[in-house]
Amino acid sequence: MKLNGQRRWAATGVVVATTAATIAVALGAPPAGAAPGCRVDYTANHWGGGGFGASVKITNLGDAMTGWSLKFALPGSQRVAQGWSATWSQSGADVTAASMSWNGNLGTNASIDIGFNGSNAASGDVNPTTFTLNGTVCTGQQQPTSTTTTTTTTTTTTTTGNPDPGNRVDNPYAGAKVYVNPDWSAKASAEAGGSRIANQPTGVWMDRIAAINGTTGARGLAAHLDEAVRQAAGTPLVIQLVIYNLPGRDCAALASNGELKATEIDRYKTEYIDPIASILARPAYANLRIVTVVEIDSLPNLITNVTPRPTQTPQCDVMKANGNYVTGVGYALAKLGAVPNTYNYIDIGHHGWLGWDDNFGATADLLFQAANASGSTKANVHGFIANTANYGILTEPNFSIDESINGTSVRQSKWVDWNRYTGELPYAQAFRQRAVQAGFDANVGMLIDTSRNGWGGSARPTGPGPRTTVDAYVDGGRLDRRIHLGNWCNQAGAGIGERPKAAPAAGVDAYVWIKPPGESDGASEEIPNNEGKGADKMCDPTYTGNARNGNSMSGALGNAPLSGHWFSAQFQELMRNAYPAL
Ligand code: BGC
């Protein structure tokens, strides 16, 4: 799996707007009470050259506070240069404004005005839309309190009965356990040292029609859901399913081609999506929170790998022309979204694929088109997932795109190559903003697959590279040690990343392990199989590359099995290079 390696198509100029924009995050002034709640009004005045001034009015709608901390993510590359009336800090896109000794008391319905001067605004940037105050998302209303007496969790609205679509919680991972797939867990435990991670939750891949009823060594969907109900034992539990069987699947790579031909959209609907949706809708599963990761490596191919781009493939041209990716994704969203306890997250590749200006916004707009295809509406989209089965680091602490070395911007380094992002966290947070601009709901949330993006081990740099040249600086300091950002198959040197975690950063619902560590990305030689899988040169360590990876060596481990099949050597290396270490 995991196509990519899409460098920029052409560098674009940046035009800075000289406008003023005000966003009221939410309206209304509900009565005070025990529940937390807040409202934030954010106004930005742009004065050209990327500079702007932002006024931020915080209103406490909940109980009186004696200290407060406001968090939000600044889109694009925007930076806080100098702030007032709060202690301001920024890490990547994440900004925190903490109360000062003299203004920490904020009574019920009281407001405080703070602000900052910022830099690096670009023309496509939107204002931040999600703010949290002392950990509570500011919706302009008090947060709903629990309507049930059968649970002690504080984050859920309803945990019993049959939820209806209006009862989906904002972040399904908050206060919930996550399903451990016993089939993966058994393989992990059988490895020396594997028990250290075998109890982690991983994605359950519905990667072909046969997977619905189960295949050798992998139970079927209903059996997983039965086991999930058992694991839940009456408490909120998320099960993570990967919907991955589009016609003409993975049109720019061969390793994860699928069983359905480019034209077989009707089979996708009737033999794949419909049966999955009808199993998910069974009353026995109504209390599960079913996260569906929808069709990785699909829609962005229609932006980056089609004529006239140099990265074009004939199969991606076919899929663009026949519309079956858009039709299929819309159908999946509509059918799965009609089940009240599902949470659809659409795949958004990763920063090493879509982090260039030419790819980023166009993908968000295409996703919105797909979300409104085949009878779907945007209400069926709960959020987006970045880095599925890829290796992109969360953040690079040793360099930033705002720096220059000897007058040359870090963006001009060979590694960054004009990309707008250096990690998955700022990428995902910025994509969230851009998706809202494209028309998606303001409360969409992000997931990031951290199963294989740790890049620890003895080769991990401990500080910035030398400031001799921009390439020496970036290459000496970067944690992601791939030969090229576009490499994706069984990467040598990779390690397990952050453990799965709910609400780890602003706008992010969870870090998740969707690609199960130990399962191969693909084989470099044809291996007969009935899964539709081909061989991919990107999985051959001697391959010298193509336009999608800057004609670089593949960086793949040798002797890999078919995608999805167990790869012990890779599993062992991922554990060795885990960061945080196991
Ligand atoms: C494969 C799937 C597999 C998944 C998870 C994909 O690359 O095509 O068959 O289930 O990876 O390992």
Coordinates of all heavy atoms in Angstrom, one line a residue, residues 67-144:
G67 N -7.7 30.4 36.5 CA -6.5 30.4 35.5 C -7.0 29.7 34.2 O -7.9 28.9 34.3
W68 N -6.6 30.2 33.1 CA -7.1 29.6 31.9 C -5.9 29.4 30.9 O -4.9 30.0 30.9 CB -8.2 30.5 31.3 CG -7.9 32.0 31.3 CD1 -8.3 32.9 32.2 CD2 -7.1 32.7 30.3 NE1 -7.8 34.1 31.9 CE2 -7.0 34.0 30.7 CE3 -6.4 32.4 29.1 CZ2 -6.3 35.0 30.0 CZ3 -5.7 33.3 28.4 CH2 -5.7 34.7 28.9
S69 N -6.2 28.5 29.9 CA -5.3 28.2 28.9 C -6.1 28.0 27.6 O -6.9 27.2 27.5 CB -4.4 27.0 29.2 OG -3.7 26.6 28.1
L70 N -5.8 28.9 26.6 CA -6.5 28.8 25.3 C -5.6 28.2 24.3 O -4.4 28.5 24.2 CB -6.9 30.2 24.8 CG -7.6 30.3 23.5 CD1 -9.0 29.9 23.6 CD2 -7.4 31.7 22.9
K71 N -6.1 27.2 23.6 CA -5.3 26.5 22.5 C -6.0 26.6 21.2 O -7.2 26.4 21.1 CB -5.0 25.1 22.9 CG -4.1 24.9 24.1 CD -3.8 23.4 24.4 CE -3.1 23.2 25.7 NZ -1.7 23.6 25.7
F72 N -5.2 26.8 20.1 CA -5.7 26.7 18.8 C -4.6 26.4 17.8 O -3.4 26.6 18.2 CB -6.5 27.9 18.4 CG -5.7 29.2 18.5 CD1 -5.0 29.7 17.4 CD2 -5.7 30.0 19.7 CE1 -4.3 30.9 17.5 CE2 -5.0 31.1 19.8 CZ -4.3 31.6 18.7
A73 N -4.9 26.0 16.6 CA -3.8 25.8 15.6 C -3.9 26.9 14.6 O -4.9 27.2 14.1 CB -4.1 24.4 15.0
L74 N -2.7 27.5 14.3 CA -2.6 28.5 13.3 C -2.4 27.8 11.9 O -1.5 27.0 11.7 CB -1.4 29.4 13.5 CG -1.7 30.6 14.4 CD1 -0.4 31.4 14.6 CD2 -2.8 31.5 13.8
P75 N -3.2 28.1 10.9 CA -3.2 27.5 9.6 C -1.9 27.8 8.9 O -1.2 28.9 9.2 CB -4.4 28.0 8.9 CG -5.1 28.9 9.8 CD -4.3 29.1 11.0
G76 N -1.5 27.0 7.9 CA -0.4 27.3 7.1 C 0.9 27.4 7.9 O 1.1 26.7 8.8
S77 N 1.7 28.4 7.5 CA 3.0 28.6 8.2 C 2.9 29.8 9.2 O 3.9 30.3 9.6 CB 4.0 28.9 7.2 OG 4.0 28.0 6.1
Q78 N 1.7 30.2 9.5 CA 1.6 31.4 10.4 C 2.3 31.3 11.7 O 2.2 30.2 12.3 CB 0.1 31.8 10.6 CG -0.7 32.2 9.3 CD -2.1 32.5 9.6 OE1 -2.5 33.0 10.7 NE2 -3.0 32.1 8.7
R79 N 2.9 32.3 12.2 CA 3.6 32.3 13.4 C 3.2 33.4 14.3 O 2.8 34.5 13.8 CB 5.1 32.5 13.2 CG 5.8 31.5 12.3 CD 5.9 30.1 12.8 NE 6.6 30.0 14.1 CZ 6.6 28.8 14.7 NH1 6.0 27.7 14.2 NH2 7.3 28.7 15.8
V80 N 3.2 33.2 15.6 CA 2.9 34.3 16.6 C 4.3 35.0 16.7 O 5.3 34.4 17.1 CB 2.5 33.7 17.9 CG1 2.4 34.8 19.0 CG2 1.1 33.0 17.8
A81 N 4.3 36.3 16.4 CA 5.6 37.0 16.6 C 5.7 37.6 17.9 O 6.7 37.6 18.6 CB 5.7 38.0 15.5
Q82 N 4.6 38.2 18.4 CA 4.6 38.9 19.6 C 3.2 39.1 20.1 O 2.3 39.5 19.4 CB 5.2 40.3 19.4 CG 5.3 41.2 20.6 CD 4.9 42.6 20.3 OE1 4.8 43.0 19.2 NE2 4.5 43.3 21.4
G83 N 2.9 38.6 21.4 CA 1.5 38.7 21.9 C 1.4 39.5 23.1 O 2.4 40.0 23.7
W84 N 0.1 39.8 23.5 CA -0.1 40.6 24.7 C -1.2 40.0 25.5 O -2.0 39.2 25.0 CB -0.4 42.0 24.4 CG -1.5 42.2 23.3 CD1 -2.8 42.3 23.6 CD2 -1.3 42.3 21.9 NE1 -3.5 42.5 22.4 CE2 -2.6 42.5 21.4 CE3 -0.2 42.3 21.1 CZ2 -2.8 42.6 20.0 CZ3 -0.4 42.4 19.7 CH2 -1.7 42.6 19.2
S85 N -1.2 40.3 26.8 CA -2.3 39.9 27.8 C -2.4 38.4 28.0 O -3.4 37.9 28.5 CB -3.7 40.5 27.4 OG -3.6 41.9 27.3
A86 N -1.3 37.7 27.6 CA -1.3 36.3 27.9 C 0.2 35.8 27.7 O 1.0 36.6 27.1 CB -2.2 35.5 27.0
T87 N 0.5 34.7 28.2 CA 1.8 34.1 27.9 C 1.7 33.3 26.6 O 0.9 32.3 26.7 CB 2.4 33.2 29.0 OG1 2.4 34.0 30.2 CG2 3.7 32.7 28.8
W88 N 2.3 33.7 25.5 CA 2.0 33.0 24.2 C 3.2 32.1 23.9 O 4.3 32.4 24.1 CB 2.0 34.1 23.1 CG 0.7 35.0 23.2 CD1 0.6 36.1 24.0 CD2 -0.5 34.7 22.5 NE1 -0.7 36.6 23.8 CE2 -1.4 35.8 22.9 CE3 -1.0 33.7 21.7 CZ2 -2.7 35.9 22.4 CZ3 -2.3 33.8 21.2 CH2 -3.1 34.9 21.6
S89 N 2.8 30.9 23.4 CA 3.9 30.0 22.9 C 3.3 29.3 21.7 O 2.1 29.2 21.5 CB 4.3 29.0 24.0 OG 3.1 28.3 24.5
Q90 N 4.2 28.8 20.9 CA 3.8 28.1 19.7 C 4.7 26.9 19.5 O 6.0 27.0 19.6 CB 3.8 29.0 18.5 CG 3.4 28.3 17.2 CD 3.2 29.3 16.1 OE1 3.5 30.5 16.2 NE2 2.6 28.9 15.0
S91 N 4.1 25.7 19.2 CA 4.9 24.6 18.8 C 4.3 24.0 17.5 O 3.2 23.6 17.5 CB 4.8 23.5 19.9 OG 5.2 22.3 19.5
G92 N 5.1 24.1 16.4 CA 4.5 23.7 15.1 C 3.3 24.7 14.9 O 3.5 25.9 15.0
A93 N 2.2 24.2 14.5 CA 1.0 25.1 14.3 C 0.3 25.4 15.6 O -0.5 26.3 15.7 CB 0.1 24.4 13.3
D94 N 0.6 24.7 16.7 CA -0.2 24.8 17.9 C 0.2 26.0 18.8 O 1.3 26.1 19.2 CB 0.0 23.5 18.8 CG -0.7 22.3 18.2 OD1 -1.5 22.6 17.3 OD2 -0.4 21.2 18.5
V95 N -0.8 26.8 19.0 CA -0.6 28.0 19.8 C -1.2 27.8 21.2 O -2.3 27.3 21.2 CB -1.1 29.2 19.1 CG1 -1.0 30.5 20.0 CG2 -0.4 29.4 17.8
T96 N -0.5 28.2 22.2 CA -1.1 28.3 23.5 C -1.0 29.7 24.1 O 0.0 30.3 24.0 CB -0.4 27.3 24.5 OG1 -0.4 26.0 23.9 CG2 -1.1 27.3 25.9
A97 N -2.1 30.2 24.6 CA -2.1 31.5 25.3 C -2.6 31.2 26.7 O -3.7 30.7 26.9 CB -3.1 32.5 24.6
A98 N -1.7 31.4 27.7 CA -2.0 31.1 29.1 C -2.2 32.4 29.9 O -1.6 33.4 29.6 CB -0.9 30.2 29.7
S99 N -3.1 32.3 30.9 CA -3.4 33.5 31.6 C -2.1 34.0 32.4 O -1.2 33.2 32.7 CB -4.5 33.2 32.6 OG -4.2 32.1 33.5
M100 N -2.1 35.3 32.7 CA -1.0 35.9 33.4 C -1.5 36.0 34.9 O -2.6 35.8 35.2 CB -0.6 37.2 32.8 CG -0.6 37.1 31.3 SD 0.4 38.3 30.4 CE 2.0 38.1 31.1
S101 N -0.5 36.4 35.8 CA -0.9 36.4 37.2 C -2.1 37.4 37.5 O -2.9 37.1 38.3 CB 0.3 36.9 38.0 OG 0.8 38.1 37.5
W102 N -2.2 38.4 36.6 CA -3.2 39.4 36.9 C -4.5 39.2 36.2 O -5.5 39.9 36.4 CB -2.7 40.8 36.6 CG -2.0 40.9 35.2 CD1 -0.7 40.6 35.0 CD2 -2.7 41.2 34.0 NE1 -0.5 40.8 33.6 CE2 -1.7 41.1 33.0 CE3 -4.0 41.5 33.6 CZ2 -1.9 41.4 31.6 CZ3 -4.2 41.8 32.3 CH2 -3.2 41.7 31.3
N103 N -4.6 38.3 35.3 CA -5.9 38.1 34.5 C -6.4 36.7 34.5 O -7.2 36.3 33.6 CB -5.8 38.7 33.1 CG -4.8 37.9 32.2 OD1 -4.3 36.9 32.6 ND2 -4.6 38.4 31.0
G104 N -6.0 35.9 35.5 CA -6.4 34.5 35.5 C -7.9 34.3 35.9 O -8.5 33.3 35.5
N105 N -8.4 35.2 36.7 CA -9.8 35.0 37.1 C -10.8 35.4 36.0 O -10.8 36.5 35.6 CB -10.0 35.9 38.4 CG -9.3 35.3 39.6 OD1 -9.1 34.1 39.7 ND2 -8.9 36.2 40.5
L106 N -11.6 34.4 35.7 CA -12.5 34.7 34.6 C -13.9 34.1 35.1 O -14.1 32.9 35.1 CB -12.1 34.0 33.3 CG -12.6 34.5 32.0 CD1 -12.4 36.0 31.8 CD2 -12.0 33.7 30.8
G107 N -14.8 35.0 35.5 CA -16.1 34.6 36.0 C -17.0 34.1 34.9 O -16.7 34.2 33.7
T108 N -18.1 33.5 35.3 CA -19.1 33.1 34.4 C -19.6 34.2 33.6 O -19.9 35.3 34.1 CB -20.3 32.4 35.2 OG1 -19.7 31.4 36.0 CG2 -21.3 31.9 34.3
N109 N -19.6 34.0 32.3 CA -20.0 35.0 31.3 C -19.0 36.2 31.2 O -19.3 37.2 30.5 CB -21.4 35.6 31.5 CG -22.5 34.5 31.2 OD1 -22.2 33.7 30.3 ND2 -23.6 34.5 31.9
A110 N -17.9 36.1 31.8 CA -16.9 37.2 31.7 C -16.1 37.0 30.5 O -15.9 35.9 30.0 CB -16.0 37.2 33.0
S111 N -15.5 38.1 29.9 CA -14.7 38.1 28.7 C -13.4 38.7 29.0 O -13.2 39.5 29.9 CB -15.4 38.8 27.6 OG -16.6 38.2 27.2
I112 N -12.4 38.3 28.2 CA -11.1 38.9 28.2 C -10.6 39.1 26.8 O -10.8 38.2 26.0 CB -10.1 38.2 29.1 CG1 -8.8 38.9 29.2 CG2 -9.9 36.7 28.6 CD1 -8.0 38.6 30.4
D113 N -9.9 40.2 26.5 CA -9.4 40.4 25.2 C -7.9 40.2 25.2 O -7.2 40.9 26.0 CB -9.7 41.9 24.7 CG -11.2 42.0 24.4 OD1 -11.7 41.3 23.6 OD2 -11.8 42.9 25.1
I114 N -7.4 39.4 24.4 CA -5.9 39.2 24.2 C -5.6 39.3 22.8 O -6.5 39.5 21.9 CB -5.5 37.8 24.8 CG1 -6.1 36.7 24.0 CG2 -5.8 37.7 26.3 CD1 -5.6 35.3 24.4
G115 N -4.3 39.2 22.4 CA -4.0 39.4 21.0 C -2.6 39.1 20.7 O -1.8 39.0 21.6
F116 N -2.3 39.1 19.4 CA -0.9 38.9 19.0 C -0.7 39.5 17.6 O -1.6 39.6 16.8 CB -0.5 37.5 19.0 CG -1.2 36.6 18.0 CD1 -0.6 36.3 16.8 CD2 -2.4 36.0 18.4 CE1 -1.2 35.5 15.9 CE2 -3.0 35.1 17.4 CZ -2.5 34.9 16.2
N117 N 0.6 39.8 17.3 CA 1.0 40.1 16.0 C 1.6 38.9 15.4 O 2.4 38.2 16.0 CB 2.0 41.3 15.9 CG 1.4 42.6 16.3 OD1 0.2 42.8 16.0 ND2 2.2 43.5 16.8
G118 N 1.2 38.6 14.1 CA 1.7 37.3 13.5 C 2.4 37.6 12.2 O 2.4 38.7 11.7
S119 N 3.1 36.5 11.7 CA 3.9 36.6 10.5 C 3.5 35.4 9.6 O 2.9 34.5 10.1 CB 5.4 36.7 10.7 OG 5.7 35.5 11.4
N120 N 4.0 35.5 8.4 CA 3.9 34.4 7.4 C 2.5 34.0 7.0 O 2.2 32.9 6.6 CB 4.5 33.1 8.0 CG 6.0 33.1 8.0 OD1 6.6 33.9 7.3 ND2 6.6 32.3 8.8
A121 N 1.5 34.9 7.0 CA 0.2 34.6 6.5 C 0.3 34.5 4.9 O 1.1 35.2 4.3 CB -0.8 35.7 6.8
A122 N -0.4 33.5 4.4 CA -0.4 33.3 2.9 C -1.9 33.5 2.4 O -2.8 33.4 3.2 CB 0.1 31.9 2.6
S123 N -2.0 33.6 1.1 CA -3.3 34.0 0.6 C -4.4 32.9 0.9 O -5.5 33.2 1.1 CB -3.2 34.2 -0.9 OG -2.7 33.0 -1.5
G124 N -4.0 31.6 0.9 CA -5.1 30.6 1.1 C -5.4 30.4 2.5 O -6.3 29.6 2.8
D125 N -4.7 31.0 3.4 CA -4.9 30.7 4.9 C -6.3 31.2 5.3 O -6.8 32.2 4.9 CB -3.9 31.4 5.7 CG -2.5 30.8 5.6 OD1 -2.4 29.7 5.0 OD2 -1.6 31.4 6.1
V126 N -6.9 30.4 6.2 CA -8.2 30.8 6.8 C -7.9 31.0 8.3 O -6.8 30.7 8.8 CB -9.3 29.8 6.7 CG1 -9.7 29.6 5.2 CG2 -8.8 28.4 7.2
N127 N -8.8 31.7 9.0 CA -8.6 31.9 10.4 C -8.7 30.5 11.1 O -9.5 29.7 10.7 CB -9.6 32.9 11.0 CG -9.2 34.3 10.6 OD1 -8.1 34.6 10.3 ND2 -10.2 35.2 10.6
P128 N -8.1 30.4 12.3 CA -8.4 29.2 13.1 C -9.9 29.1 13.4 O -10.5 30.1 13.7 CB -7.5 29.3 14.3 CG -6.9 30.7 14.3 CD -7.2 31.3 13.0
T129 N -10.4 27.9 13.5 CA -11.8 27.8 13.8 C -12.1 27.0 15.0 O -13.2 27.0 15.5 CB -12.6 27.1 12.6 OG1 -11.9 25.9 12.3 CG2 -12.7 28.0 11.4
T130 N -11.1 26.2 15.5 CA -11.4 25.4 16.7 C -10.5 25.9 17.8 O -9.3 26.0 17.7 CB -11.0 23.9 16.4 OG1 -11.8 23.5 15.4 CG2 -11.3 23.1 17.7
F131 N -11.1 26.2 18.9 CA -10.4 26.7 20.1 C -10.8 25.9 21.3 O -11.9 25.5 21.4 CB -10.8 28.2 20.4 CG -10.4 29.1 19.3 CD1 -11.3 29.3 18.2 CD2 -9.2 29.8 19.3 CE1 -11.0 30.1 17.2 CE2 -8.9 30.7 18.2 CZ -9.8 30.8 17.2
T132 N -9.8 25.6 22.2 CA -10.2 25.0 23.4 C -9.7 25.9 24.6 O -8.7 26.5 24.5 CB -9.5 23.6 23.6 OG1 -8.1 23.7 23.7 CG2 -9.9 22.6 22.5
L133 N -10.6 25.9 25.6 CA -10.3 26.7 26.8 C -10.2 25.7 28.0 O -11.2 25.0 28.2 CB -11.3 27.7 27.1 CG -11.0 28.7 28.2 CD1 -9.8 29.6 27.8 CD2 -12.2 29.6 28.5
N134 N -9.1 25.6 28.6 CA -8.9 24.6 29.6 C -9.4 23.2 29.2 O -10.0 22.4 29.9 CB -9.5 25.0 30.9 CG -8.8 26.1 31.6 OD1 -7.8 26.6 31.1 ND2 -9.3 26.6 32.7
G135 N -9.1 22.9 27.9 CA -9.4 21.5 27.4 C -10.8 21.4 26.8 O -11.1 20.4 26.2
T136 N -11.7 22.4 27.0 CA -13.0 22.3 26.5 C -13.1 23.0 25.1 O -12.6 24.1 25.0 CB -14.0 23.0 27.4 OG1 -14.0 22.3 28.7 CG2 -15.4 23.0 26.9
V137 N -13.7 22.3 24.1 CA -13.8 22.9 22.8 C -14.8 24.1 22.9 O -15.9 23.9 23.5 CB -14.3 21.9 21.8 CG1 -14.4 22.5 20.4 CG2 -13.3 20.8 21.7
C138 N -14.5 25.2 22.4 CA -15.4 26.4 22.5 C -16.4 26.3 21.4 O -16.1 26.6 20.2 CB -14.6 27.7 22.5 SG -13.4 27.8 23.8
T139 N -17.6 26.0 21.7 CA -18.7 25.9 20.8 C -19.6 27.1 20.9 O -20.6 27.2 20.1 CB -19.5 24.6 21.0 OG1 -20.1 24.7 22.3 CG2 -18.6 23.4 20.8
G140 N -19.4 27.9 21.8 CA -20.3 29.0 22.0 C -21.5 28.6 23.0 O -22.4 29.4 23.2
Q141 N -21.4 27.4 23.4 CA -22.5 26.9 24.3 C -21.8 26.1 25.4 O -20.7 25.7 25.3 CB -23.4 25.9 23.5 CG -24.1 26.6 22.4 CD -24.9 25.6 21.6 OE1 -24.9 24.4 21.9 NE2 -25.6 26.1 20.6
Q142 N -22.6 25.9 26.5 CA -22.1 24.9 27.4 C -22.1 23.6 26.8 O -22.9 23.2 26.0 CB -23.0 24.9 28.7 CG -22.9 26.2 29.5 CD -23.8 26.2 30.6 OE1 -25.0 25.9 30.5 NE2 -23.3 26.5 31.8
Q143 N -21.1 22.7 27.2 CA -21.0 21.4 26.7 C -22.2 20.6 27.3 O -22.6 20.7 28.4 CB -19.7 20.7 27.2 CG -18.5 21.5 26.6 CD -18.6 21.5 25.1 OE1 -18.5 20.5 24.4 NE2 -18.7 22.7 24.5
P144 N -22.7 19.7 26.4 CA -23.8 18.8 26.8 C -23.3 17.9 28.0 O -22.2 17.4 27.9 CB -24.2 18.0 25.6 CG -23.1 18.2 24.7 CD -22.4 19.4 25.0

